[in-house]
Amino acid sequence: MNKTQIRSNRTWKWVSAVLLICLIAYIAFYPPTKHAAGSAGTVEPVAKVNGVSINSEQLYQAMLASGGQQTLDSMISEELINQEGQKAGITVTDEDVDKEVANVKGSYGSDAEFQQALTSYGMTIDDLKKSMKSQVLLKKILTPQITITDDEIKKYYDENLETLKVPEQVQASHISVATKEEADAIVADLKNGADFATIAKSKSLDTATKDNGGSLGYISSGNMDEAFDTAAFALKVGETSGAVKTSTGYDIIKVTDHKAASTPTMEEKREDIKSAITTQKLASLSTTWLQDKKSQSTVENYLSKPAGA
């Protein structure tokens, strides 16, 4: 499969997710309670190298040096956002977070691409949801400050028409295995009435899709391995391929739907365009907004002070 291409309109959506990965890891490895215990005289070893201990205090200091300031900056920003949300009486529900996660997921060509992106960030879907809460709150705070004109919508449509076009797509599932012998055996089982999804769950090597019965969702040509693409788009709806040799092994592909390429009108894409422009403006506005709030607030950052100050 090709590497996931991160489009520019995903930047805003992933900002807090990426920034808070360090925070998630930091808390997981070194909760504040552990440090308190260490400072009281109990310094626990966290590793040994040829009998030489590396203790929790050394780990704590190393984490402060390598990412402590960035993590603290993220926490300060999150606290400022929470305080401003409280002042404005704005709350974030689970439904709000789920909707934002769905928006992120929808910006990818398929479920498999989305899962690959999560994996590349070292995240699970639950990690993403946790990191989204502050972002959704910030979005709720700032969106009322954004205005979008009809001229801006038309300009965006004209300039991005090629990317707004919907390419030919197929809805596909696959079973990925290492050898042709395995693939041929599965093809034989399928011809004898075996269930595709059941086999995918038990035998597919693609961990991102196997639990969903091998479902890749709708895929566009060019997003997958070339041999996979050729085979998938040659299948009719309801057909299953034989063993297809790809760069990762052998795939058996099943196509369950087909959508022809189309060019949407501006009115059909109006809401999507407004959402994209809002996202662009939020990315710029959020930076200046946070800077302003920090300058207007009393923020005491003890990590940034010189030792002994």
Side-chain angles (χ1 to χ4, degrees):
M1 295 182 185
N2 294 334
K3 292 182 179 179
T4 302
Q5 299 297 312
I6 308 299
R7 299 171 187 157
S8 59
N9 67 342
R10 295 178 191 158
T11 303
W12 155 261
K13 295 174 182 177
W14 284 95
V15 166
S16 63
V18 176
L19 287 178
L20 291 178
I21 288 173
C22 292
L23 174 59
I24 294 167
Y26 184 85
I27 294 173
F29 280 106
Y30 204 88
T33 53
K34 289 187 179 180
H35 182 50
S39 62
T42 305
V43 181
E44 297 292 335
V46 293
K48 283 189 177 183
V49 181
N50 294 324
V52 179
S53 294
I54 297 174
N55 63 46
S56 55
E57 180 62 25
Q58 290 172 302
L59 175 61
Y60 173 75
Q61 293 300 332
M63 293 179 79
L64 282 183
S66 63
Q69 188 62 65
Q70 180 182 357
T71 300
L72 184 57
D73 286 343
S74 295
M75 295 175 73
I76 289 170
S77 295
E78 185 177 14
E79 181 56 32
L80 285 171
I81 294 168
N82 288 336
Q83 289 180 13
E84 291 302 315
Q86 289 172 2
K87 289 178 187 177
I90 297 172
T91 58
V92 174
T93 65
D94 290 342
E95 184 179 356
D96 292 329
V97 173
D98 288 341
K99 183 178 179 180
E100 190 70 13
V101 170
N103 287 339
V104 174
K105 188 175 182 179
S107 69
Y108 288 84
S110 67
D111 289 346
E113 282 189 75
F114 174 66
Q115 290 298 331
Q116 288 169 2
L118 281 177
T119 300
S120 71
Y121 282 113
M123 300 181 76
T124 65
I125 189 68
D126 288 336
D127 292 334
L128 180 59
K129 286 182 178 182
K130 289 175 186 176
S131 68
M132 279 290 174
K133 188 170 183 180
S134 288
Q135 178 175 306
V136 175
L137 180 56
L138 182 57
K139 189 174 183 178
K140 281 190 166 189
I141 293 169
L142 297 181
T143 297
Q145 301 179 31
I146 293 173
T147 57
I148 299 171
T149 66
D150 287 341
D151 287 342
E152 287 177 305
I153 292 174
K154 185 178 186 308
K155 183 174 184 288
Y156 186 99
Y157 178 82
D158 291 340
E159 292 179 351
N160 296 276
L161 183 56
E162 286 304 311
T163 60
L164 292 172
K165 290 179 179 179
V166 180
E168 180 185 10
Q169 295 179 312
V170 293
Q171 186 181 44
S173 299
H174 78 139
I175 301 168
S176 179
V177 293
T179 67
K180 189 173 188 304
E181 290 73 21
E182 291 176 283
D184 286 340
I186 290 172
V187 170
D189 288 341
L190 292 171
K191 287 181 178 179
N192 289 326
D195 181 67
F196 192 98
T198 300
I199 295 179
K201 288 179 181 179
S202 63
K203 295 186 178 181
S204 181
L205 299 178
D206 184 358
T207 56
T209 65
K210 64 181 298 181
D211 290 340
N212 292 324
S215 174
L216 292 162
Y218 283 93
I219 59 174
S220 304
S221 181
N223 286 337
M224 307 293 285
D225 181 279
E226 184 177 353
F228 188 105
D229 258 6
T230 301
F233 282 86
L235 292 171
K236 294 179 181 178
V237 174
E239 287 186 338
T240 300
S241 73
V244 178
K245 187 176 184 351
T246 68
S247 59
T248 58
Y250 287 84
D251 279 27
I252 302 96
I253 307 162
K254 181 179 181 180
V255 168
T256 50
D257 195 17
H258 176 270
K259 291 182 179 180
S262 63
T263 301
T265 65
M266 187 173 73
E267 285 307 309
E268 287 173 335
K269 298 301 291 184
R270 176 174 287 271
E271 291 306 312
D272 289 341
I273 291 172
K274 286 176 68 175
S275 177
I277 295 173
T278 298
T279 292
Q280 292 174 352
K281 292 189 174 186
L282 280 171
S284 174
L285 182 59
S286 63
T287 301
T288 55
W289 182 87
L290 271 173
Q291 289 173 343
D292 288 344
K293 291 304 173 185
K294 285 181 179 179
S295 66
Q296 296 165 12
S297 303
T298 302
V299 178
E300 299 177 68
N301 186 336
Y302 302 119
L303 283 186
S304 63
K305 291 183 178 181

